[in-house]
Amino acid sequence: MATSPADGEPDGPGARGVLLTADRVVTLGHGRYQARALLVRGTRVVWVGDDPDLAPPHARRIDLDGCVIGPSFVDSHVHLTPTGISLLGLDLSGVRSPDELLRAVRLHAEQDTGRVIWGHGWDDHDWDQPLPTPEQLHEASGGRPVTLARIDSHSSLVDTSTLRSAPLTRTGGIERDADGRPTGRLRRDANKVARRWAVGAMSEADLDRARAEAVRFAVSRGVGTVHEMGGPDAMGETDFDAWCEGDWGLEVVPYWGATDLSFALDRDLRHVGGDIWLDGSLGSHTAALTQPYADHPGSGDLEYADATLVELFTEATHAGMQVAVHAIGDAAIDQAIRCWHRVVADLPEHLADAVRRLRHRIEHGEVVRPDQLDDLVELGIVLSAQPAFETLWGGPGGLYEQRLGPHRATTTNPYRALADRGVPLAFGSDANVTPIAPWEMVWAAEHRHRHRHEITRLEAVSASTLGGRHAARQERWVGVLRAGMRADLTAWEGDPYEADDPRGASCVLTVVKGRVVHGDLDLG
């Protein structure tokens, strides 16, 4: 990449803004899909065109030779502080056996001086040995409390100290062996309680470092906006407020995952949910299915009664608030559809189209049946999906096939059918479940084990940029690169929009609201 920040003289007294040129500008807009240059003044794009010499008066010109400019990416489902903790701490995503997990804990304990050991990312779906016991974890940690979240965050492993100290006495989800002793694996409420307890034991300085690291990592990968999925069962109120109130550079669209709307209303939030779990996860056998698991007794559980959801959906709709619910299994998606239809049927005439206008969301939606598509379209539901899940768990012998059986596993994450039917897609990572990596996300949606579920590169890029804007109801002022829109953009070495394989593309510039948040350039 070659940059020429001092090319030419200013256009004269009063000239304002910076003209950016590149090999190509991908606008993603209707009418003009691409250009060669754009002019940024303050927080806005004020001109886009093919010939830089025809640009309005400007103070400076920067030529990004060998680069392509496009809209910044939007990660539509993240957990920022846990992402930062994982980046700085105990990342277990590369662990392939119980013995490796214990070695990772032991090595981390030798190097880290924190009060608790928090790890994330282990995935036991193909392990052929039992998980470590609480006693083994306690020994490996040198006596410090241990909480290790599974990759999906819907179950965790804890040591004997955590079992004694965390307030788990009256919670459900503590797995026990044949003799009634805790195995150290926690699901459902017990998992949530242990996570909250571990976070409470961390210092605020450690949490601040984790937040800063998550932001640095995201913007360095071309992500300018994230939808932060907080809540009382995640990192809690203090962490959520830190994201809402801090000046991070990265734009944070906050979702509070609780059925009580008072917290969100007090903060004038426009979005709630995200981590309102209607069910659990396939990996932890807690996603709610209409047919039993292929490798485990039962079919998972719904976390809420219909009446509770109808009350929440109705209150939020009257308040003009969008609701996002976590629903992975088809039974959970059925429940969301059923409850939204009940709300629509009872709305007064002046709110008849409110449900569609508010663009309520289903997060994940991994097991969507074909007969559910019409209902999703009728209700205007946005599907916030994570293509990297298929890379992790799809394909022959993968987790989906183990949990669902060979036939049902061929139907997971049907992006082609969803797009063709008109269900809006907004892609995200669910970091720290999978990394914040937008081009890897695009590649995963474009290259599927089952080709009939693939979408095109352009569709995947749109779902990873404009899809998030649509989901957050921002598309009127930010998203496509055209005059009058907010200046949120990224520049990439080469051309990942056209490359055979865009993964690993190098981001040289990320701009949010006209401000450089990644890269060495100064837009003044």
Side-chain angles (χ1 to χ4, degrees), residues 287-466:
L289 305 172
T290 54
Q291 300 178 46
Y293 281 93
D295 63 344
H296 189 80
S299 54
D301 298 290
L302 295 172
E303 297 290 338
Y304 295 100
D306 282 12
T308 301
L309 292 182
V310 170
E311 181 180 358
L312 166 66
F313 292 172
T314 300
E315 184 181 357
T317 300
H318 279 269
M321 300 175 74
Q322 181 196 58
V323 181
V325 294
H326 165 119
I328 285 179
D330 60 336
I333 296 170
D334 277 340
Q335 184 184 40
I337 289 170
R338 182 170 64 245
C339 292
W340 277 120
H341 275 309
R342 285 181 56 185
V343 172
V344 170
D346 292 338
L347 285 175
E349 185 175 348
H350 72 280
L351 291 176
D353 65 340
V355 167
R356 285 191 58 82
R357 282 191 292 104
L358 289 171
R359 302 177 192 172
H360 301 293
R361 299 169 49 153
I362 286 177
E363 307 299 308
H364 314 308
E366 292 167 65
V367 188
V368 180
R369 300 191 312 270
D371 63 283
Q372 294 172 324
L373 300 185
D374 282 347
D375 288 296
L376 296 175
V377 172
E378 180 182 345
L379 292 165
I381 300 295
V382 175
L383 185 64
S384 168
Q386 292 70 43
F389 287 4
E390 277 289 339
T391 304
L392 274 177
W393 301 318
L399 180 140
Y400 288 152
E401 187 170 291
Q402 292 178 24
R403 296 294 187 265
L404 301 173
H407 173 68
R408 278 190 294 168
T410 65
T411 66
T412 55
N413 301 302
Y415 301 142
R416 178 76 273 149
L418 289 158
D420 287 348
R421 187 59 187 86
V423 177
L425 293 172
F427 285 163
S429 64
D430 198 10
N432 55 342
V433 175
T434 67
I436 297 173
W439 286 113
E440 283 77 358
M441 184 165 65
V442 166
W443 176 265
E446 186 186 13
H447 295 83
R448 294 285 302 275
H449 297 288
R450 280 115 190 156
H451 297 305
R452 73 176 187 274
H453 296 319
E454 293 176 346
I455 58 177
T456 67
R457 174 79 55 88
L458 179 59
E459 288 174 312
V461 168
S462 294
S464 306
T465 53
L466 308 186

Side-chain angles (χ1 to χ4, degrees), residues 501-513:
D501 187 345
R503 293 174 295 178
S506 176
C507 177
V508 299
L509 179 69
T510 303
V511 175
V512 177
K513 301 180 184 178

Side-chain angles (χ1 to χ4, degrees), residues 27-100:
T27 70
L28 293 184
H30 296 296
R32 175 183 284 281
Y33 169 70
Q34 61 183 9
R36 277 282 326 283
L38 56 83
L39 177 58
V40 176
R41 285 181 183 161
T43 63
R44 300 286 167 184
V45 174
V46 298
W47 177 85
V48 178
D50 292 317
D51 187 348
D53 292 336
L54 299 179
H58 48 277
R60 290 193 303 135
R61 170 173 168 167
I62 298 174
D63 295 323
L64 298 172
D65 298 331
C67 295
V68 171
I69 295 173
S72 64
F73 281 93
V74 179
D75 195 314
S76 296
H77 190 115
V78 301
H79 307 278
L80 282 169
T81 306
T83 296
I85 293 171
S86 294
L87 288 168
L88 295 174
L90 183 52
D91 180 1
L92 299 172
S93 59
V95 165
R96 294 292 176 262
S97 72
D99 287 340
E100 286 187 18

